[in-house]
């Protein structure tokens, strides 16, 4: 009777996962599962806290994506308190968002993804990592480490803290930007732009042509896409309406406040990750041949749903990408290419914001008063559309909290891409380390942050504690 191949841990992703691949008697793939072996549970324990604390508490969901939660949460508290924040406060938040995006995209491309392409998918694992890159391309490696540190330093200058920030507050931004700080930031942003320009050119001219057959086949599935655009369809990573595209390229635009009319969260008993899906299409199914309601977020999704990009260099790259791969582009490894277009956009956008005279205005926040209300806020996070949804009582205490995290939207697609990759690569029981790494590559393309994404405590999967005596007999089972 068949066997199960286990990949554990899945490497070069944020958070912890294992993949199980069940083979049938003939050694072909019968089924696959991506297990996420952790639980964060913030949806539950934010309840009962004063809502103004949530922009600080929710940063603790993840040390990798604190800025995304910080900003989405601050926007949600603005909505709860019913205030419109000053332009300068909004621009400082945008600036931090763009810098955080750059830090994350550089990290993912060079440290997590590039070893598969630069060393090769079946290179020995001892060199298929960032140290292999540093050895093979020492100048690029040094530059990458330097620019990531620069991005963190920029966030410190603007907000006081690069990780677990507290500067975005209900009603705006607590710390105006000083002119001398701005003068320090500008050359740093230029250095980020240089690396962004180099990265997309290098990937476009050297990496993707070499691997184009893999790009066109590995982990490819057909899904819809979700992202944020302005009223005229321009990509926006901080604010705008949601655009939900189906696999055939048709789309609907809707205000964030209506998200529950479009998106529902399916629950499976074997994972703490929920499965958001487009509920208008019918009952959730991630069957490879007949998926229902499946859509993707993150870089490829944003490039697919956007009509254009607001900055000139990124817009040029956007046009190259679209003419080459069409709309919507479905190949999963194109997430990497789209990520580098976004890296370029964020570098350009950061410089634009720093050159905006209003960025140093002292008018960065308004006062807020507690009230009973529901507020919904979102931002595009490096890893996908991030929605926070809070309700408060008249004292401003949180009575309900729902988070839909970027990676959560991609839960079903990641499972499907793994199944597609395993099924097409493993035949007659034949596989090796290179093939299993290619299954992992199908996950890595999505840049999942699993630590961010595990909040299902709705009861269908209980936190279960089995107590056994010294002979292994079950004495008691405790469940939530
Ligand atoms: Mg949720
Ligand atoms: Ni995260």
């Amino acid at each position: 009777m068949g066997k199960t191949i286990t990949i554990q841990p899945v490497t070069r992703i944020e958070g912890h996962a294992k993949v199980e691949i069940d083979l049938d008697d003939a050694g072909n793939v019968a089924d696959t599962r991506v297990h996420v072996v952790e639980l964060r549970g913030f949806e539950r324990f934010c309840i009962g806290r004063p809502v103004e604390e949530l922009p600080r508490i929710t940063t603790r969901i993840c040390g990798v994506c604190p800025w995304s939660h910080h900003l989405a949460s601050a926007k949600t508290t603005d909505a709860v308190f019913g205030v419109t924040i000053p332009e300068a406060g909004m621009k400082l938040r945008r600036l931090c968002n763009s810098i955080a995006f750059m830090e994350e995209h550089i990290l993912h491309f060079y440290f997590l993804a590039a070893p598969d392409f630069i060393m090769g998918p079946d290179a020995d694992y001892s060199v298929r990592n960032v140290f292999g890159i540093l050895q093979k391309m020492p100048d690029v490696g040094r530059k990458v480490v330097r620019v990531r540190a620069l991005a963190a330093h920029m966030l410190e200058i603007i907000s006081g803290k690069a990780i677990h920030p507290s500067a975005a507050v209900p009603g705006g931004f607590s710390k105006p930007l000083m002119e001398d700080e701005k003068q320090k930031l500008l050359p740093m942003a230029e250095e980020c732009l240089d690396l962004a320009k180099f990265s997309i050119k290098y990937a476009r001219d050297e990496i993707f042509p070499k691997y184009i057959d893999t790009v066109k086949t590995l982990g490819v599935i057909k899904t819809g896409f979700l992202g944020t655009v302005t009223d005229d369809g321009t990509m926006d990573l901080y604010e705008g309406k949601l655009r939900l595209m189906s696999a055939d390229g048709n789309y609907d635009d809707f205000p964030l406040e209506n998200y529950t009319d479009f998106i529902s969260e399916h629950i499976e008993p074997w994972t703490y990750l929920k499965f958001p899906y487009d509920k208008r299409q019918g009952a959730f199914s991630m069957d490879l041949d007949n998926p229902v309601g499946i859509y993707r977020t993150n870089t490829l999704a944003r490039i697919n749903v956007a009509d254009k990009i607001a900055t000139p260099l990124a817009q040029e790259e956007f046009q190259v990408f679209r003419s080459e791969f069409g709309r919507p582009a479905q190949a999963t490894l194109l997430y990497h290419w789209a990520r580098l277009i976004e890296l370029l956009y964020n570098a350009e956008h950061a410089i634009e914001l720093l050159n905006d005279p209003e960025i140093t205005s002292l008018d960065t926040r308004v006062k807020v008063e507690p009230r009973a209300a529901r507020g919904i806020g979102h931002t595009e996070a490096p890893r996908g559309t991030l929605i926070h949804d809070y309700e408060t009582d008249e004292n401003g205490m949180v009575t309900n909290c729902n988070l839909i995290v970027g990676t959560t939207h991609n839960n079903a697609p990641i499972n499907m891409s793994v199944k597609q990759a395993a099924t097409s690569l493993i035949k007659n029981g034949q596989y090796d380390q290179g093939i299993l790494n290619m299954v992992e590559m199908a996950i890595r393309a999505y840049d999942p942050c699993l630590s961010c994404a595990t909040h299902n405590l709705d009861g269908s999967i209980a936190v279960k504690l089995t107590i056994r005596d010294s002979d292994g007999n079950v004495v008691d089972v405790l469940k939530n």
Side-chain angles (χ1 to χ4, degrees), residues 262-273:
F262 295 81
I263 298 167
S264 187
E265 293 183 279
H266 173 79
I267 288 169
E268 288 282 341
W270 46 270
T271 175
Y272 293 119
L273 253 75

Side-chain angles (χ1 to χ4, degrees), residues 43 259 265 274 276 387 401-405 408 455-456 458:
E43 284 185 344
Y259 81 93
E265 293 183 279
K274 296 178 188 175
I387 300 170
C401 171
N402 185 29
L403 312 171
I404 303 188
V405 179
T408 319
H455 302 281
N456 172 21
D458 285 3

Side-chain angles (χ1 to χ4, degrees), residues 189-218:
E190 292 286 352
E191 219 176 305
C192 295
L193 178 61
D194 282 346
L195 180 63
K197 286 198 251 185
F198 166 81
S199 303
I200 186 124
K201 186 169 180 337
Y202 173 65
R204 169 166 42 68
D205 296 347
E206 296 189 35
I207 290 185
F208 293 114
K210 189 170 161 195
Y211 288 101
I212 198 67
D213 292 340
T214 310
V215 168
K216 286 185 172 160
T217 52
L218 184 66

Side-chain angles (χ1 to χ4, degrees), residues 62 65 449 452:
C62 180
C65 328
C449 185
C452 263

Side-chain angles (χ1 to χ4, degrees), residues 99-110:
I99 296 168
F101 256 86
M102 288 195 280
E103 195 191 357
E104 291 306 307
H105 282 358
I106 293 169
L107 166 81
H108 185 265
F109 185 71
Y110 285 102

Side-chain angles (χ1 to χ4, degrees), residues 255-324:
L256 172 69
E257 290 69 26
N258 297 355
Y259 81 93
T260 51
D261 295 341
F262 295 81
I263 298 167
S264 187
E265 293 183 279
H266 173 79
I267 288 169
E268 288 282 341
W270 46 270
T271 175
Y272 293 119
L273 253 75
K274 296 178 188 175
F275 296 83
Y277 66 104
D278 179 350
K279 68 181 190 183
R280 301 166 305 163
Q281 295 186 17
F284 171 87
S285 170
M286 54 179 175
D287 186 305
L288 270 191
D289 299 320
N290 190 24
V292 181
I294 309 298
Y295 65 85
R296 294 187 264 184
T297 59
N298 190 316
T299 56
L300 180 63
R302 292 186 285 249
I303 296 293
N304 276 331
V305 302
D307 300 325
K308 56 183 189 281
I309 296 182
T311 58
L313 298 177
Q315 170 63 15
E316 269 175 42
E317 294 295 339
F318 174 83
Q319 283 167 328
V320 169
F321 182 92
R322 180 147 296 172
S323 65
E324 197 146 334

